[in-house]
Amino acid sequence: MNPKTRTLGVALAWGGAFAVALQLALSIQHQLEAGRTVGFAVVQYTGHYTIITNTLCALVAAACVWPKRFGRFAATLRSSIAITAAAVSIFMVGMLYVTLLTQVHHPKGLEHLTNLLLHYLIPPLFARFWWQVVPQGSLDWRDAWRCMALPAAYLIYLAVRGAATGLYPYYFVDVGQLGYARAAVNALAIAAVFLLATVGFIRLKR
């Protein structure tokens, strides 16, 4: 890894960790001010794909830069599939935020900073990191399905979590407001775009 790529990896690892930690603190503060509990704040916070994906990107970048600190898990996090899965996911986070969520999300105060990091800065920077660390020709077309494991697992988690708590982090998959049929159609549409993005990333490396 050349010095510039290593510097970018360090920035992504620390920047991502800072952003998700600060957002957690802000989420807890907001929920306490609204009369809710810390537990409720954590449950709501962990439902966002933005948080899950940025956390993954920070871990992948850290494993690439400091592999010895991750022991036997370093090889998994440093694999071309893991890095590509993280890159596609963070790309989708940025794209979905810009196209679907800016009209309903209005950050204030320090949330402007976390919003900038999580949705606008980390996605393109991690895409650049992916381009630099994933070897050309290291991905196979079948890897597209492996990269889809994360969003597929998230949809299952979202459905189970929503049924148990009634909490849905995004309006376009809110079963309480839309019903199961409409929410499922929206989820499948997003999954299709996700798969297309995954194929596009793989194509760039082939």
Side-chain angles (χ1 to χ4, degrees), residues 58-186:
L59 288 172
V60 166
C64 289
V65 176
W66 305 295
K68 292 182 179 180
R69 298 185 182 182
F70 287 82
R72 60 183 180 179
F73 298 108
T76 299
L77 290 172
R78 287 163 56 92
S79 68
S80 293
I81 293 175
I83 301 171
T84 302
V88 175
S89 285
I90 199 66
F91 167 79
M92 288 296 294
V93 163
M95 189 188 74
L96 290 175
Y97 182 80
V98 170
T99 57
L100 298 177
L101 296 172
T102 52
Q103 67 270 29
V104 296
H105 182 230
H106 308 290
K108 299 178 181 179
L110 282 175
E111 281 195 7
H112 280 295
L113 175 60
T114 59
N115 184 55
L116 179 66
L117 289 169
L118 297 173
H119 296 119
Y120 290 99
L121 289 181
I122 291 177
L125 289 177
F126 195 89
R128 180 178 178 83
F129 182 74
W130 165 82
W131 180 256
Q132 292 176 342
V133 298
V134 173
Q136 199 76 15
S138 63
L139 295 170
D140 186 88
W141 291 117
R142 292 171 295 180
D143 293 331
W145 299 110
R146 298 184 179 98
C147 291
M148 289 295 290
L150 178 61
Y154 175 73
L155 285 178
I156 295 171
Y157 164 66
L158 201 64
V160 174
R161 178 179 176 276
T165 66
L167 296 174
Y168 294 90
Y170 305 110
Y171 71 89
F172 44 81
V173 289
D174 190 335
V175 172
Q177 296 293 325
L178 304 175
Y180 281 101
R182 182 62 182 175
V185 168
N186 290 346

